[in-house]
Amino acid sequence: MEPRIGQRPFPPRGHFWPSHWTVKTKLVVTACIPLLVLIPVVALLVWSAGQAAYTKILISKVRSDLVLAQQEFTDVQENKYDALKAWSESAHLRNLLQRQGGKLNNKDLRAQAEKLGFAYLRLISPTGMVVNSFPARLPYMLGTEIQKSVKFRESGSYTVLLSNAELNDISPELASRAVQAILPTWNASPSSKSAEDRGLVVQVLQPLFSDGNMLGYLEGGLLLNGNLELVDKINDLIYSPNTLLEGSIGTTTIFLEDVRVATTVRRDGESRALGTRVSDVVRQSVLGRGEVWLERAFVVNDWYVAAYAPLLSPDGARIGMFYVGFLEAPYANIKTQLLILFLLAVGAAMVLGAMMVVRLTSGIFYPLRRMNYIMSLQERGDAAARVGDLRREDEFADLANHFDVLLDQLDARRSELLGLNEELDERVRQRTADLQAVNQKLHQAVEQLLASEKLAAMGQLTAGIAHEFNNPLAIMMGHLDLIRITLNDPESMKTLRLLDEQVHRMRNIVQKLLQFCRPDEYASYTEEVNVNEVIQDSILFVRSEIEAARAQLKLELNARETVQISKTELQQVMVNLLINATHALEGSFHEQAAVLDEPPLISVETRDMALADGQKAVSIQVQNNGEPIAPERLQLIFKMFYTTKHAGKGTGLGLPVSRMLVQRYGGDLQAKSPVVPENAPQFGACFEIVLRCKARPSADILKETGQQILLIEKQLSEGS
């Protein structure tokens, strides 16, 4: 596109002004922030949820494996019991007992023990005597505690813990098979034992009858110590081929307390980890608290997804543990691979998104840079420069067309303004003359205002003097009454009457002077006033001062009660406090801003409250964060004629008059400073007005002291 007459050539499309690069960088960064923050956050949440679900799946699998293993272990116990019960009730055994006179010999017990897979089988008489057994032993009497335990139990299958002495009673060979050396194990609880000689036994108990008479009990036992065939069978059932990831290994273990006495866990790749112990944390959870462990655990030399459950004796004691688990490493490798793929996908999405943002912003910025270039030409005085046709149909093309139209209108207005400039100059000259006249009147009004303030100060002083006159006059009247009582001659009475007339005349003059100087004590008009509305009306009068101080105004008008007061006088008090607040914020605010990290602020808050006497009231707080009031000045600000403002800005009457107006209705005005922050340096001041909802006019407030004065005057007049 060719430039118009007077228009400079537009820079090439590839050229970028430094300022343009800054704005574009900001826009790109702003657009990429959601991609750089939101995508990783979402990815982290998704990954965390996936990890939790994946872990839950592994825990669920090992839980089901534990249930299946426990069921298989229970089935083994029940099968042993069913087999022994079937033999004890079989016709073969009844015939055998009849032929042998109700006795079983060692050969019979051995054959049946080998057939049923028992490590031992013995016949116990009702009196507790072992009459025959396999392996063969001479008849012997069971211990008292063992007899009680056997008699207490019903027929069935149990897991019991037998001491080495009890195993020796059954068979020395069985006792030696149960001995297991304890190997040092990392992460296990400290122990001084070097070997475990007790036996964990699945014990089956079945009563034996012959011709209706009880011959005793058949007791068969399956030693779990070193019973690799049993754990291999359970392990093969649970972790059959293709049930785990390639590289993972399923393991099963039976613990005597915390010692592995039968396991499929390998210690060095080949030998089984018999005699190793469980970690201390698992021991405390399962054996200590009787809980089922379902999470990852360190097993001998690697991490496994593990499940541990306590083995209970017939009396409920925790005598061992049952464990199943599988190697965690293959599953951890899968999670690592998934994490890498997930991070690559997230990174690719972020890079692709960033490229799309850069591409889109490049298309957006070309029209903006063109318009910015035209504006720079306009600033240099090239009034004929225009954007022209962008050869695109979108919002930016419409914006460029509107921009050219505005430039055309601006050019026309410029010509029109040049024509009106001379007329405006003439009007300015005329208005200047008028303004000088108005300024003269304004100066006169200011002088009158200052005179009024001085007159008000004189009125306050006069009122004080008038009050001082009242007391001597009252004393004089009292003493005249005393003289009147003492002197009874007519000539003295005539003189005293003349003195009475002059004293009463002076008293009337003083009363009139008081009424002139302090009319509020003689007449007060109250109405129900909504303080929130009065505050909003008062702000209108001081809006310009607040804006001149560049202060922010914060309103929190929470009061709901109305108060009895003169609306005009309350408005006067609020205007005075707001103006004082703006004056406190005038001048430099750099030091406050550096500490408070906030602009100049005036806050007005109203709230309902209750006074100490139980009466309802409304609190108005006017607070600023400007210059604080020194502690020594805080005691003087309500004194008449005290001010720290420059000459012409204050007379020292605003706060005293405001307090007087509030106190007239039973309220009060207090100040505190500084208010923010708590640590030095500190700034700000807070003025609080407390107004009674039911006003106490000044006449009522002064009634207590006024009655005392009248009583003294009456007593003096009566000659008391």
Side-chain angles (χ1 to χ4, degrees):
M1 181 189 70
E2 294 295 330
R4 298 184 182 182
I5 297 176
Q7 180 178 348
R8 299 181 183 180
F10 187 73
R13 188 180 183 90
H15 176 78
F16 293 97
W17 296 93
S19 59
H20 295 164
W21 274 111
T22 302
V23 175
K24 181 177 180 180
T25 303
K26 290 180 179 179
L27 185 58
V28 170
V29 170
T30 303
C32 287
I33 283 176
L35 295 174
L36 299 176
V37 175
L38 185 59
I39 291 180
V41 169
V42 173
L44 180 61
L45 292 175
V46 172
W47 176 254
S48 299
Q51 287 293 301
Y54 189 72
T55 302
K56 188 179 293 185
I57 291 173
L58 295 181
I59 296 301
S60 177
K61 171 173 173 49
V62 78
R63 180 190 291 112
S64 63
D65 294 343
L66 177 63
V67 171
L68 184 59
Q70 287 178 314
Q71 183 61 45
E72 178 62 21
F73 184 68
T74 302
D75 290 344
V76 170
Q77 291 178 301
E78 291 179 352
N79 291 339
K80 298 295 183 184
Y81 168 70
D82 291 340
L84 184 61
K85 181 179 179 182
W87 181 62
S88 67
E89 296 176 353
S90 65
H92 172 74
L93 183 59
R94 287 198 301 269
N95 296 331
L96 186 62
L97 291 173
Q98 289 176 358
R99 288 198 306 269
Q100 299 179 173
K103 295 182 180 180
L104 292 175
N105 56 37
N106 176 262
K107 181 179 179 182
D108 299 327
L109 293 176
R110 177 176 182 175
Q112 197 60 32
E114 292 176 350
K115 179 180 179 182
L116 299 181
F118 286 121
Y120 71 91
L121 182 62
R122 58 184 178 176
L123 176 61
I124 306 171
S125 70
T127 61
M129 175 68 73
V130 179
V131 296
N132 209 339
S133 65
F134 169 77
R137 295 281 287 172
L138 293 175
Y140 59 94
M141 180 68 70
L142 293 177
T144 305
E145 294 299 325
I146 299 176
Q147 290 186 45
K148 291 180 180 179
S149 174
V150 172
K151 291 181 179 180
F152 174 75
R153 284 181 278 163
E154 299 177 354
S155 60
S157 179
Y158 306 94
T159 302
V160 296
L161 181 61
L162 300 181
S163 66
N164 188 260
E166 292 172 336
L167 292 175
N168 263 308
D169 288 342
I170 297 172
S171 169
E173 187 271 336
L174 189 65
S176 64
R177 282 173 52 194
V179 175
Q180 176 63 60
I182 297 178
L183 303 179
T185 309
W186 180 80
N187 216 21
S189 61
S191 176
S192 59
K193 294 178 65 175
S194 60
E196 179 61 71
D197 59 0
R198 293 174 295 173
L200 200 61
V201 177
V202 173
Q203 200 173 77
V204 180
L205 195 65
Q206 174 63 30
L208 181 62
F209 295 89
S210 176
D211 296 332
N213 298 320
M214 184 175 179
L215 299 179
Y217 300 91
L218 284 174
E219 181 187 287
L222 179 65
L223 182 64
L224 297 179
N225 295 39
N227 198 329
L228 305 181
E229 180 181 357
L230 177 60
V231 292
D232 286 344
K233 177 182 177 182
I234 296 175
N235 195 74
D236 292 342
L237 175 66
I238 300 171
Y239 299 113
S240 58
N242 301 323
T243 57
L244 297 173
L245 285 178
E246 184 178 355
S248 184
I249 303 172
T251 55
T252 305
T253 300
I254 297 175
F255 288 86
L256 191 160
E257 291 187 348
D258 64 343
V259 179
R260 291 179 176 85
V261 294
T263 183
T264 62
V265 178
R266 304 289 175 170
R267 184 158 53 106
D268 51 9
E270 293 184 3
S271 62
R272 306 203 184 210
L274 295 173
T276 58
R277 301 169 61 217
V278 77
S279 62
D280 184 56
V281 62
V282 176
R283 183 183 187 279
Q284 292 181 10
S285 176
V286 180
L287 293 179
R289 298 187 295 272
E291 299 172 347
V292 176
W293 178 279
L294 292 171
E295 56 183 288
R296 66 196 300 262
F298 192 81
V299 179
V300 182
N301 53 13
D302 212 335
W303 286 97
Y304 284 72
V305 180
Y308 293 83
L311 285 177
L312 304 178
S313 65
D315 57 359
R318 293 184 283 273
I319 59 176
M321 292 183 291
F322 198 87
Y323 153 85
V324 293
F326 48 88
L327 193 62
E328 184 191 35
Y331 295 90
N333 293 336
I334 290 293
K335 289 197 292 185
T336 302
Q337 295 173 8
L338 290 175
L339 176 61
I340 294 173
L341 293 175
F342 188 75
L343 292 177
L344 290 176
V346 171
M350 293 173 63
V351 171
L352 181 61
M355 292 175 61
M356 293 179 63
V357 168
V358 173
R359 178 68 177 174
L360 291 174
T361 53
S362 298
I364 292 173
F365 266 85
Y366 177 74
L368 295 178
R369 288 188 295 105
R370 186 180 183 88
M371 285 186 282
N372 190 39
Y373 175 69
I374 296 300
M375 284 189 284
S376 65
L377 294 179
Q378 289 282 338
E379 291 174 354
R380 296 171 189 170
D382 189 355
R386 298 293 184 272
V387 176
D389 186 11
L390 293 177
R391 298 180 181 178
R392 55 193 294 173
E393 296 180 0
D394 55 14
E395 291 80 356
F396 285 105
D398 295 338
L399 179 62
N401 292 333
H402 288 302
F403 186 68
D404 283 347
V405 171
L406 289 175
L407 290 178
D408 293 337
Q409 294 176 354
L410 181 63
D411 195 20
R413 294 292 175 85
R414 187 184 296 111
S415 300
E416 183 180 353
L417 288 175
L418 290 175
L420 296 175
N421 188 38
E422 294 183 1
E423 182 181 354
L424 180 60
D425 289 340
E426 180 63 26
R427 291 185 179 182
V428 168
R429 284 191 292 271
Q430 295 177 359
R431 293 293 185 271
T432 302
D434 296 339
L435 182 60
Q436 290 176 350
V438 172
N439 278 336
Q440 184 65 28
K441 294 180 180 180
L442 179 60
H443 284 301
Q444 295 175 358
V446 170
E447 291 176 358
Q448 293 176 358
L449 178 60
L450 293 176
S452 298
E453 290 185 353
K454 293 178 181 178
L455 182 60
M458 293 300 297
Q460 184 74 21
L461 181 61
T462 304
I465 296 173
H467 277 295
E468 292 298 326
F469 267 91
N470 265 337
N471 294 331
L473 287 175
I475 296 173
M476 292 171 64
M477 291 177 65
H479 283 79
L480 285 174
D481 290 337
L482 293 174
I483 295 172
R484 187 180 292 107
I485 295 172
T486 306
L487 301 176
N488 293 324
D489 61 286
E491 192 63 28
S492 298
M493 288 297 182
K494 183 178 179 180
T495 303
L496 290 175
R497 278 196 300 271
L498 291 175
L499 290 174
D500 283 338
E501 290 175 1
Q502 296 305 314
V503 170
H504 281 294
R505 182 181 177 187
M506 293 173 65
R507 184 178 179 84
N508 290 334
I509 292 173
V510 170
Q511 293 295 332
K512 290 180 180 179
L513 184 60
L514 283 174
Q515 188 174 4
F516 174 77
C517 295
R518 300 179 67 180
D520 55 289
E521 294 187 359
Y522 298 89
S524 59
Y525 171 72
T526 62
E527 57 181 318
E528 296 290 336
V529 174
N530 186 319
V531 296
N532 298 336
E533 295 178 357
V534 173
I535 291 171
Q536 292 174 344
D537 293 340
S538 303
I539 291 172
L540 299 177
F541 294 103
V542 296
R543 176 68 69 180
S544 59
E545 284 82 356
I546 295 175
E547 293 176 353
R550 298 180 180 179
Q552 294 185 3
L553 185 62
K554 178 182 178 183
L555 300 178
E556 294 185 12
L557 307 180
N558 302 318
R560 296 293 180 265
E561 300 287 345
T562 59
V563 299
Q564 291 181 347
I565 194 173
S566 171
K567 183 176 181 180
T568 304
E569 293 177 353
L570 178 58
Q571 193 175 77
Q572 176 184 347
V573 173
M574 287 304 305
V575 169
N576 183 52
L577 294 180
L578 289 171
I579 290 177
N580 285 350
T582 58
H583 289 171
L585 296 174
E586 289 180 350
S588 175
F589 199 76
H590 298 306
E591 183 180 356
Q592 291 94 321
V595 175
L596 302 177
D597 193 21
E598 62 180 21
L601 178 66
I602 299 174
S603 63
V604 182
E605 178 184 359
T606 66
R607 61 184 177 87
D608 298 328
M609 62 177 296
L611 299 176
D613 58 4
Q615 297 296 321
K616 294 182 178 179
V618 173
S619 169
I620 305 174
Q621 289 188 353
V622 180
Q623 182 172 319
N624 67 80
N625 60 354
E627 181 181 358
I629 304 174
E632 61 274 10
R633 290 173 48 206
L634 200 61
Q635 307 298 325
L636 302 173
I637 58 175
F638 291 106
K639 299 292 184 180
M640 295 293 294
F641 305 111
Y642 177 79
T643 180
T644 59
K645 299 180 181 178
H646 298 295
K649 279 199 171 184
T651 61
L653 295 173
L655 288 177
V657 171
S658 297
R659 172 179 272 186
M660 180 192 68
L661 293 176
V662 173
Q663 290 178 341
R664 180 191 306 171
Y665 300 96
D668 200 4
L669 172 60
Q670 298 293 337
K672 64 178 180 178
S673 178
V675 292
V676 291
E678 295 182 358
N679 52 348
Q682 299 177 320
F683 305 101
C686 178
F687 289 82
E688 182 178 16
I689 305 170
V690 178
L691 297 173
R692 291 176 176 268
C693 293
K694 186 176 181 181
R696 296 180 62 196
S698 56
D700 295 338
I701 298 173
L702 297 175
K703 187 175 182 180
E704 300 171 358
T705 55
Q707 286 177 346
Q708 296 177 359
I709 295 173
L710 292 175
L711 179 60
I712 294 173
E713 292 178 351
K714 182 178 179 182
Q715 291 174 345
L716 290 173
S717 64
E718 293 176 352
S720 306

